Amino acid sequence: MFCEQKCNATYYGTNCSQRCSPNCLDSLCDNVNGACKSCVDGKQGTFCEQNCNATYYGTNCSQKCSPNCLDSLCDDVNGACKSCVDGRQGTFCEET
């Protein structure tokens, strides 16, 4: 063995023996240290080990919950409001 090939995109580490986190988007990570290239919806952090904070959602927690969500709280994966402010309704509190 001459160690001349990179690991498959879903493995990393010595002899490519470790699998990337299932929270890495498409299971893709750095071939040396396992850091995720991007995170699945609802996750964030170097290894996508953290949930989004309550007012953000989506890929890498990059989208802000609707201001029509009560207290700006929404589902960390799809952004659906937990509850709506007065006078609003719908999944994303988009309807009056």
Side-chain angles (χ1 to χ4, degrees):
M1 228 196 263
F2 296 104
C3 302
E4 49 198 33
Q5 295 179 351
K6 281 187 175 182
C7 298
N8 171 302
T10 60
Y11 287 86
Y12 73 98
T14 305
N15 295 321
C16 305
S17 60
Q18 297 180 356
R19 193 174 201 106
C20 300
S21 166
N23 292 330
C24 293
L25 187 63
D26 298 325
S27 295
L28 300 176
C29 69
D30 181 272
N31 67 321
V32 176
N33 65 15
C36 295
K37 304 284 184 180
S38 189
C39 299
V40 296
D41 290 353
K43 296 291 185 181
Q44 64 183 350
T46 303
F47 303 100
C48 303
E49 72 282 9
Q50 303 165 359
N51 291 330
C52 297
N53 82 32
T55 60
Y56 286 85
Y57 72 99
T59 305
N60 296 320
C61 303
S62 61
Q63 296 178 301
K64 192 157 180 54
C65 300
S66 168
N68 294 324
C69 295
L70 184 63
D71 297 324
S72 295
L73 301 176
C74 70
D75 181 271
D76 60 357
V77 174
N78 65 18
C81 295
K82 305 278 184 184
S83 188
C84 297
V85 296
D86 287 345
R88 304 297 274 190
Q89 65 181 0
T91 304
F92 304 98
C93 303
E94 71 279 12
E95 301 170 26
T96 52

